[in-house]
């Protein structure tokens, strides 16, 4: 495979393992034009000629591989000898670099990343430029010094929020869930987790969470996956000595919650595996399960009557109804569910917890008109109530 560039190997791997594969999905993933992809395929086909194998695209621009089955299997075996991280797309490589920097115990060198991903230093430099721009939006700063190395400065809370967001952006959410549930595992996702957290720790946490006595964690896929990430992060940060520090009053309030008992039960099992997390880390984990309203009310003297979330939901639904020319304003269940969703989101944001919709890109792609209308409606209604909700 040395005759193929990492990008060409990535395209070949996609077609071999996921084909037929549409070029439209590939050009977005690689951030290159369809014409460039076709040129790359032409180069790949020159390499495949000796195997009597060929990649072609049909009238719908689906990439399909054809040829002798034995030859195709031989190519797969040859491709498997290439380190998975060499097959990451540019976007995936930047996400992995960002996550490594956010979890590193000490500064890392650009040459380390260049060697790991088999790309030139110039590409790593451009990667770091893009990562720096992203981190600024998370109130974090990328430090690059020749003798010092590369590191991220900022609060531990912001670092963890940024890392969780990066993980959700690495692959479609269904691939991340499949990895967590040990279903059809995407090898790039497996490699990603292994690079950031290590295979042993990752394996231990997956086994623990899959035990029947922790089934109550699996009521919400997004929160369950977030908890999985936060546990791995807590372990990694504890090993590095970079733990969070929460006010004693917050920890005291959290320890009185029912969800804290669940986290303590998890902690006991972790201790059996020689993993000891500080109380602050356990309290932080509980925040990702807990009663946000209870904590916010108790610590900020906030009362439910200060904001009528049902009125907000009704106004949003009415505004969307007008723009879509479909009256959904009398759907009581929709009003109830939306007001509850906005309420919980509000509490989470006020506690500093990152709110993520892992399906946002799919929604934008498949329902662009609806997304635009709802986005504008939310901006309008939230501004009336002086709420900052993404």
């Amino acid at each position: 495979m040395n005759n193929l560039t990492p990008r060409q190997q990535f395209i070949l791997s996609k077609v071999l393992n996921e084909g037929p594969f549409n070029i439209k999905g590939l050009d977005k993933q690689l951030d290159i034009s369809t014409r460039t992809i076709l040129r790359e395929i032409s180069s790949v086909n020159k390499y495949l000629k000796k195997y009597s194998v060929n990649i072609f695209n049909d009238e719908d621009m689906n990439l399909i591989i054809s040829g002798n089955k034995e030859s195709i299997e031989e190519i797969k075996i040859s491709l498997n000898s290439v380190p998975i991280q060499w097959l990451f797309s540019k976007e995936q490589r930047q996400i992995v670099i960002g996550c490594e920097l956010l979890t590193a115990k000490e500064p890392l060198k650009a040459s380390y990343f260049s060697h790991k991903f088999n790309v030139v230093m110039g590409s790593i430099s451009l990667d770091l430029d893009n990562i720096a721009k992203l981190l600024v939006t998370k109130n974090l700063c990328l430090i690059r010094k020749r003798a010092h190395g590369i590191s991220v400065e900022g609060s531990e809370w912001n670092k963890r929020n940024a890392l969780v967001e990066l993980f959700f952006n690495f692959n479609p959410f269904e691939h991340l869930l499949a990895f967590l549930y040990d279903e059809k595992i995407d090898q790039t996702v497996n490699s990603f987790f292994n690079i950031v957290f290590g295979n042993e720790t990752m394996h231990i946490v997956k086994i623990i969470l899959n035990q029947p006595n922790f089934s109550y964690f699996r009521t919400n896929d997004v929160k369950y996956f977030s908890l999985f990430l936060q546990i791995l992060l807590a372990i990694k940060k504890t090993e590095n000595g970079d733990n969070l520090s929460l006010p004693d009053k917050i920890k005291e309030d959290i320890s009185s919650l029912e969800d804290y008992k669940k986290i303590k039960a998890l902690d006991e099992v972790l201790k059996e595996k020689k993993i000891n997390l500080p109380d602050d880390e356990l309290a932080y984990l509980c925040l990702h399960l807990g009663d946000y309203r209870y904590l916010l009310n108790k610590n900020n003297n906030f009362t439910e009557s200060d904001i009528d979330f049902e009125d907000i939901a009704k106004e949003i639904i009415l505004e969307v109804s007008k723009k879509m020319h479909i009256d959904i304003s009398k759907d009581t269940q929709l009003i109830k569910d939306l007001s509850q969703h906005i309420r919980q989101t509000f509490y989470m944001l006020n506690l500093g917890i990152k709110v993520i919709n892992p399906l946002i890109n799919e929604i934008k792609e498949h329902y662009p008109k609806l997304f635009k209308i709802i986005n504008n409606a939310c901006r309008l209604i939230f501004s009336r109530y002086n709420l900052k909700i993404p």
Side-chain angles (χ1 to χ4, degrees):
M1 291 293 163
N2 292 335
N3 295 328
L4 298 179
T5 66
R7 186 161 69 189
Q8 290 165 357
Q9 291 178 38
F10 177 82
I11 292 171
L12 178 56
S13 175
K14 280 284 186 181
V15 178
L16 281 169
N17 297 301
E18 300 180 27
F21 195 92
N22 196 274
I23 286 181
K24 290 183 179 179
L26 199 56
D27 60 13
K28 289 180 181 178
Q29 195 168 4
L30 294 175
D31 194 24
I32 55 178
S33 67
T34 299
R35 184 176 295 179
T36 300
I37 291 175
L38 292 174
R39 282 202 301 267
E40 293 285 44
I41 291 170
S42 178
S43 297
V44 173
N45 278 332
K46 289 178 182 177
Y47 171 81
L48 295 177
K49 193 173 182 180
K50 62 183 179 182
Y51 293 97
S52 297
V53 171
N54 183 65
I55 296 175
F56 67 93
N57 55 290
D58 63 16
E59 57 185 15
D60 295 321
M61 299 300 283
N62 291 311
L63 298 178
I64 302 168
I65 194 162
S66 69
N68 184 276
K69 287 185 178 181
E70 288 77 13
S71 296
I72 291 175
E73 284 304 313
E74 185 182 342
I75 296 168
K76 282 186 178 182
I77 292 170
S78 178
L79 195 63
N80 286 338
S81 66
V82 177
I84 293 293
Q85 63 266 25
W86 289 11
L87 305 182
F88 287 166
S89 67
K90 180 177 69 174
E91 182 184 39
Q92 288 177 325
R93 184 176 71 237
Q94 290 175 4
I95 288 174
V96 177
I97 291 173
C99 289
E100 280 208 82
L101 290 170
L102 286 165
T103 56
K105 187 175 183 178
E106 51 193 29
L108 300 172
K109 301 287 187 180
S111 56
Y112 161 78
F113 294 118
S114 176
H115 176 74
K116 170 172 279 191
F117 297 103
N118 193 36
V119 295
V120 298
M121 289 288 284
S123 295
I124 296 299
S125 180
L126 291 174
D127 289 340
L128 292 171
D129 289 342
N130 289 328
I131 292 168
K133 291 175 185 176
L134 172 68
L135 292 177
V136 166
T137 67
K138 314 300 177 188
N139 296 316
L140 297 167
C141 182
L142 187 72
I143 306 298
R144 301 160 71 174
K145 295 180 181 178
R146 189 177 296 276
H148 173 78
I150 309 159
S151 60
V152 178
E153 288 192 359
S155 76
E156 187 59 36
W157 193 286
N158 287 339
K159 286 181 181 180
R160 297 192 190 201
N161 278 338
L163 188 137
V164 170
E165 186 170 337
L166 286 172
F167 262 87
F168 273 103
N169 289 334
F170 183 78
N171 251 28
F173 186 54
E174 60 266 27
H175 292 179
L176 300 176
L177 273 185
F179 166 79
L180 178 55
Y181 287 117
D182 281 328
E183 295 170 354
K184 185 179 179 182
I185 297 178
D186 185 310
Q187 289 307 309
T188 58
V189 175
N190 186 67
S191 177
F192 178 28
F193 272 88
N194 190 26
I195 288 171
V196 180
F197 297 117
N199 190 59
E200 184 179 353
T201 301
M202 184 174 65
H203 185 63
I204 288 173
V205 175
K206 283 175 73 172
I207 288 176
I208 291 173
L209 287 181
N210 281 325
Q211 292 179 8
N213 51 321
F214 292 123
S215 60
Y216 44 71
F217 289 142
R218 298 191 285 273
T219 55
N220 178 307
D221 280 340
V222 176
K223 291 186 75 171
Y224 181 48
F225 185 80
S226 296
L227 178 65
F228 173 58
L229 275 181
Q230 294 296 347
I231 294 170
L232 289 171
L233 262 174
I235 295 171
K236 181 83 172 179
K237 293 292 186 174
T238 299
E239 290 173 351
N240 292 348
D242 294 327
N243 293 107
L244 281 165
S245 180
L246 299 178
D248 290 338
K249 183 65 171 65
I250 292 288
K251 285 189 289 184
E252 182 182 335
D253 290 340
I254 289 175
S255 65
S256 66
L257 299 178
E258 189 65 29
D259 282 315
Y260 190 69
K261 296 178 183 177
K262 300 175 183 177
I263 293 298
K264 286 297 288 182
L266 176 67
D267 180 46
E268 291 301 317
V269 180
L270 288 171
K271 284 178 178 175
E272 292 174 6
K273 303 291 183 180
K274 311 299 181 185
I275 298 173
N276 297 293
L277 298 179
D279 289 341
D280 294 76
E281 292 290 351
L282 297 177
Y284 183 70
L285 290 177
C286 189
L287 282 177
H288 293 270
L289 296 175
D291 188 342
Y292 311 112
R293 176 175 56 185
Y294 171 82
L295 284 173
L296 195 66
N297 290 352
K298 194 163 186 176
N299 290 288
N300 294 321
N301 296 317
F302 176 87
T303 60
E304 183 80 7
S305 60
D306 290 335
I307 298 177
D308 192 325
F309 293 102
E310 186 171 316
D311 278 353
I312 295 174
K314 287 179 179 178
E315 289 185 43
I316 290 174
I317 292 169
L318 183 61
E319 184 69 21
V320 172
S321 291
K322 290 177 183 176
K323 298 296 183 183
M324 292 295 293
H325 308 294
I326 300 171
D327 188 9
I328 53 174
S329 61
K330 296 178 178 60
D331 189 329
T332 56
Q333 188 62 48
L334 175 61
I335 294 170
K336 178 183 176 182
D337 291 343
L338 182 58
S339 61
Q340 182 178 348
H341 175 70
I342 296 172
R343 179 186 293 111
Q344 186 182 49
T345 301
F346 175 78
Y347 296 136
M348 291 174 72
L349 290 170
N350 275 276
L351 286 168
I353 296 175
K354 185 70 180 179
V355 178
I356 293 174
N357 180 357
L359 300 178
I360 195 71
N361 292 327
E362 285 87 343
I363 292 171
K364 287 180 181 178
E365 180 180 353
H366 297 294
Y367 307 98
K369 181 182 177 183
L370 183 60
F371 176 82
K372 184 177 180 180
I373 289 173
I374 293 176
N375 187 43
N376 291 337
C378 286
R379 286 176 181 272
L380 174 66
I381 307 304
F382 291 153
S383 65
R384 291 178 187 169
Y385 289 85
N386 198 27
L387 293 177
K388 293 184 178 180
I389 296 179

